[in-house]
Amino acid sequence: MTPQQETLELRGDGAVRASIQFCYRQAGQGPPLVWLHWLWGEPGWMDYHQRLAERFQVFVPDLPGYGQSALPEWAKTPHDLAVLLLQFLDALSLQRPIVVGSCLGGWVGTELALLRPERIAKLVLISPLGLVQDWTKVPNLFYTDPARLPRYLFTDAALEKASLYVPDLSNWTDAFINSRNASIRLVFDPYLHSRSLRHHLHLLTTPTLVVWGEQDPLLAPAHAALWTASLPQAHSVMIPRAGHLPYVEDCEAVIQAIHTFIPPQERGGA
Amino acid sequence: MRVFNMVLFGWPYLPDDAPVGTPGSYPLSNRYFDPVQGNALLQRELDRITLSDELGLDGFTCQEHHGGGGFCAMVPSTHLMAAAVSQRTKQLQVAITGTCIPLHHPLAIAEEVAMLDHLSNGRFIWGALRGFPTEYLSYNVNPAESQARFREGFSLVLKALSSEGPFDFDGQFYRVRDYNIWPKPLQQPYPKIWMAANSLDSLDFAVKNRTYIATPWVSIERTRSVHETYHRLAHEQNIAIPEDFDDMFASICALYVGESDKKARQEAEVHLEYHFFRALASFDIGTVSLIPGHMSVDGMRDWLKNVTSKDTGKAMGYSVDEGIENGTVILGGPESVIAQIKRQREEGKRGTLLAMFQFGSLPDALATQSLRLFAQEVLPKIRAI
């Protein structure tokens, strides 16, 4: 299955709604599912998208500021990205998609559900940013030896896959540089979290699955309990032997967790 | 040619096991700092600045840097340093090259610039600097906002300095209602401004704001091209260049005068090497430059091309001969030094040297001896250059 690559030009009204451009990939049939990528963007159409596309109509947008999607000057927080993402959902007439967000995408998905709970059928948060126990103990992704970066994200067993997500210096594309620039703008301070989000979460009544890699070197799996304790309708699943992007390390285990959370009558396909 | 004594305050006592140019060497642990040695270093430098004034040098300048290490051990605050120098000197110009604007509130900068102008009886020159991305991380200012904050902050400083009566300011980062500063500067509307500019974009900003230029550690070829670009941009936009722009066109170098070429090299070479390979190199430019947000996509692409092709990111260090060749080092007996300074003016278009008389591990007595020789044997002969 080759995904369609599209660019959506959203014309603003010059006053309230922003003019923005969203690039996204789309494939599959079934209930709509929007995949929100991690902090440094999605490297392409990957095996986990492919597996989800067997049962869902999968949309993988580059969030504003990432890849080819532009970030308006006023947008500085994951909450602002959620506001822009609503325009994306409206333009594609996605009335009640399932939203799956990893890392930054999990935080943006949470903000989206807080803004418009009625617009999200179900929410899957994969090691989301937003709540951090002690930020000074979380590895500094923005200032570190590039050779060490993969170890902040992946388990030793998956280091060879890391180069797609954290490329060698000789393979940095403009899109990747762009994505890193956007990331520091969005989550630099407070580092990877918000001081108020925890106090908003009790309003988020969307059924939510929290997925965490049991060996996440960036955000320890104990963070999953912060989310389930604050969210009224959430439970968590641990993925053994996996790091911060568990779907890279054990695609099937994450797909299985999503399938269990979304029963067959809510999905398409076999 | 005009000559300023620039002090950088490299820490000359780094032990061999101190991390130099390795990822994570910023900030350098202050367990390497010895309070008694540091105090003596500062006091000796202040004495030499006073001597520079007595010997007829044109000015003094220093740079704001944070996190310590081999090249910025004693002056996290240029404003305090300039205040101290203003009280110890009578003639020379007291400059800053410069203040990292986004790390401070622009109103406080404007108020202190005005104070410094009075403290120095109108001998003050202000400088505007963006600084290193590590300094933004340390002060928790978003590196992705550094350029926008620099530009907006700069506009607010100028507005505060030059406004007659209370003013308002409505920016993205700074908002002011109904305020004006006391004192106003002595030099009206405000002191001359040096901007550390190197890229096309920053030069265009400097042209539009009619500031002078002080380039960082760059080659003679580079200063010539910066000089040409500034003039071209001003001409294209029909913006009048300050009359004394060329004489104020400044560049940084390390300077040492000995009795002869041979003696100068014997006395200074090992200390220059310390400066380039230990002090400047204590800053891990390879990792620091990768901090996202500080550079544009174009800037980062160019940087990566450079790093991955020539491995220049590993260290800032180069040999003394390379330094002389590229114009960041002036070294020799008086005649050679005069010839090198001529070349700086003719080929590099430099009108003011921000010259470090103390660098690396150079002993205090040698720095003073070189300064005296420079004032006696060189300074009178380069005035007309």
Side-chain angles (χ1 to χ4, degrees):
Chain A
M1 193 182 327
T2 312
Q4 280 176 264
Q5 281 206 48
E6 308 275 355
T7 300
L8 190 63
E9 300 280 351
L10 300 181
R11 290 254 162 76
D13 57 11
V16 182
R17 286 164 80 91
S19 287
I20 41 167
Q21 174 181 295
F22 269 101
C23 296
Y24 67 99
R25 295 181 175 84
Q26 179 207 323
Q29 302 227 316
L33 181 152
V34 179
W35 175 281
L36 302 178
H37 59 69
W38 83 290
L39 188 60
W40 287 355
E42 201 65 63
W45 181 261
M46 312 304 287
D47 56 347
Y48 38 90
H49 302 136
Q50 186 70 17
R51 289 284 282 118
L52 288 169
E54 290 166 13
R55 299 193 174 169
F56 300 97
Q57 186 186 14
V58 177
F59 296 85
V60 185
D62 286 338
L63 288 169
Y66 289 81
Q68 308 296 320
S69 298
L71 187 59
E73 202 179 337
W74 56 265
K76 293 181 174 183
T77 64
H79 178 85
D80 294 336
L81 290 196
V83 171
L84 293 165
L85 202 58
L86 266 175
Q87 290 183 230
F88 173 80
L89 299 187
D90 287 350
L92 294 176
S93 302
L94 299 175
Q95 285 313 314
R96 251 175 84 77
I98 295 154
V99 170
V100 181
S102 158
C103 178
L104 171 71
W107 185 355
V108 175
T110 301
E111 296 285 359
L112 190 63
L114 281 166
L115 273 168
R116 288 279 186 278
E118 75 286 359
R119 292 290 300 272
I120 310 298
K122 285 194 166 179
L123 187 60
V124 179
L125 305 176
I126 306 175
S127 28
L129 308 182
L131 305 181
V132 171
Q133 261 166 342
D134 178 358
W135 69 272
T136 64
K137 300 287 183 294
V138 177
N140 189 346
L141 294 173
F142 298 129
Y143 177 45
T144 191
D145 179 1
R148 285 187 67 174
L149 264 177
R151 297 190 182 276
Y152 292 157
L153 300 166
F154 298 97
T155 65
D156 288 351
L159 285 178
E160 82 273 11
K161 293 181 182 170
S163 63
L164 275 172
Y165 297 84
V166 190
D168 291 338
L169 292 186
S170 51
N171 291 324
W172 283 24
T173 59
D174 285 4
F176 182 70
I177 297 169
N178 217 14
S179 301
R180 287 177 83 249
N181 285 353
S183 72
I184 198 166
R185 187 163 147 191
L186 294 163
V187 299
F188 171 67
D189 178 43
Y191 183 55
L192 308 187
H193 71 288
S194 145
R195 290 289 154 104
S196 56
L197 183 64
R198 182 198 299 249
H199 305 286
H200 296 184
L201 288 181
H202 67 95
L203 298 171
L204 203 166
T205 50
T206 310
T208 302
L209 171 68
V210 177
V211 179
W212 224 283
E214 219 164 34
Q215 295 175 31
D216 186 339
L218 186 71
L219 293 174
H223 284 85
L226 295 183
W227 286 86
T228 51
S230 306
L231 290 167
Q233 288 214 63
H235 69 280
S236 65
V237 171
M238 289 289 152
I239 308 294
R241 295 176 300 280
H244 187 61
L245 311 180
Y247 45 87
V248 177
E249 306 207 22
D250 192 344
C251 174
E252 287 312 312
V254 174
I255 297 296
Q256 189 54 51
I258 294 173
H259 282 178
T260 306
F261 179 57
I262 303 165
Q265 61 270 25
E266 298 176 31
R267 324 174 212 137
Chain B
M1 183 68 90
R2 293 149 30 100
V3 180
F4 280 46
N5 183 352
M6 177 175 127
V7 300
L8 200 57
F9 281 111
W11 187 248
Y13 311 115
L14 287 176
D16 289 343
D17 65 349
V20 165
T22 51
S25 59
Y26 173 92
L28 187 68
S29 168
N30 63 8
R31 68 189 166 88
Y32 296 110
F33 179 78
D34 179 285
V36 175
Q37 286 179 322
N39 178 256
L41 192 68
L42 180 66
Q43 296 301 337
R44 287 197 304 258
E45 206 57 71
L46 282 166
D47 287 346
R48 196 159 31 245
I49 295 159
T50 311
L51 180 64
S52 307
D53 188 37
E54 291 161 8
L55 293 173
L57 265 74
D58 298 280
F60 152 83
T61 190
C62 60
Q63 296 181 329
E64 176 180 339
H65 283 302
H66 301 273
F71 71 101
C72 54
M74 296 303 296
V75 190
S77 167
T78 53
H79 293 200
L80 286 180
M81 190 68 193
V85 168
S86 73
Q87 299 309 292
R88 287 186 171 227
T89 55
K90 294 193 169 58
Q91 299 297 325
L92 57 64
Q93 290 190 286
V94 180
I96 286 172
T97 48
T99 311
C100 294
I101 297 175
L103 305 187
H104 310 276
H105 198 288
L107 288 181
I109 296 173
E111 288 169 334
E112 289 174 16
V113 164
M115 273 186 76
L116 285 165
D117 203 27
H118 287 283
L119 284 168
S120 64
N121 288 314
R123 291 182 284 137
F124 186 62
I125 300 174
W126 183 49
L129 190 67
R130 202 167 135 215
F132 293 119
T134 32
E135 296 165 331
Y136 287 74
L137 297 191
S138 302
Y139 272 55
N140 226 25
V141 177
N142 198 328
E145 295 173 350
S146 67
Q147 193 187 56
R149 280 181 181 272
F150 175 82
R151 294 188 171 189
E152 189 178 306
F154 182 82
S155 305
L156 177 50
V157 171
L158 291 202
K159 183 151 194 178
L161 285 171
S162 56
S163 286
E164 187 83 9
F167 66 92
D168 303 321
F169 188 88
D170 180 31
Q172 198 190 344
F173 306 103
Y174 308 105
R175 287 166 286 279
V176 179
R177 173 145 68 183
D178 199 28
Y179 187 66
N180 57 199
I181 63 166
W182 286 73
K184 294 198 284 187
L186 179 60
Q187 300 175 80
Q188 284 292 312
Y190 42 73
K192 289 176 182 174
I193 300 167
W194 257 323
M195 189 170 288
N198 195 9
S199 69
L200 187 66
D201 214 31
S202 57
L203 283 168
D204 188 60
F205 183 76
V207 166
K208 288 190 165 73
N209 286 284
R210 303 194 71 234
T211 75
Y212 300 90
I213 299 291
T215 64
W217 294 92
V218 294
S219 67
I220 278 182
E221 289 73 33
R222 185 66 203 154
T223 50
R224 186 172 61 232
S225 115
V226 165
H227 183 265
E228 277 169 18
T229 306
Y230 188 99
H231 277 270
R232 178 172 58 77
L233 290 171
H235 182 74
E236 284 169 4
Q237 298 173 73
N238 209 15
I239 295 171
I241 288 176
E243 240 173 47
D244 54 348
F245 177 85
D246 286 359
D247 288 340
M248 285 276 289
F249 184 65
S251 207
I252 296 172
C253 63
L255 191 155
Y256 188 85
V257 192
E259 282 171 15
S260 65
D261 287 2
K262 197 174 159 200
K263 215 151 176 228
R265 190 172 280 259
Q266 272 171 358
E267 287 163 348
E269 186 162 26
V270 61
H271 306 296
L272 280 165
E273 280 170 356
Y274 181 100
H275 172 69
F276 284 115
F277 290 101
R278 304 269 299 152
L280 281 190
S282 69
F283 189 69
D284 172 30
I285 192 80
T287 305
V288 171
S289 300
L290 297 179
I291 293 171
H294 201 72
M295 271 194 239
S296 66
V297 173
D298 289 346
M300 183 62 88
R301 195 198 308 115
D302 290 347
W303 164 259
L304 287 170
K305 215 185 292 166
N306 214 17
V307 179
T308 48
S309 65
K310 289 190 293 184
D311 224 15
T312 49
K314 292 270 190 240
M316 286 167 97
Y318 42 75
S319 73
V320 169
D321 285 317
E322 278 174 89
I324 293 172
E325 179 56 33
N326 70 26
T328 56
V329 173
I330 295 174
L331 170 71
E335 291 313 312
S336 307
V337 165
I338 291 165
Q340 287 169 47
I341 289 173
K342 262 191 185 141
R343 178 171 164 248
Q344 297 244 351
R345 179 81 192 204
E346 284 160 14
E347 295 178 30
K349 300 293 172 197
R350 300 170 178 188
T352 299
L353 293 179
L354 307 180
M356 287 175 56
F357 287 88
Q358 212 294 328
F359 44 76
S361 50
L362 187 70
D364 187 57
L366 287 179
T368 302
Q369 176 193 306
S370 156
L371 175 65
R372 284 187 184 283
L373 257 177
F374 177 81
Q376 281 157 21
E377 305 293 332
V378 179
L379 201 52
K381 296 179 185 159
I382 59 167
R383 284 299 179 204
I385 293 173

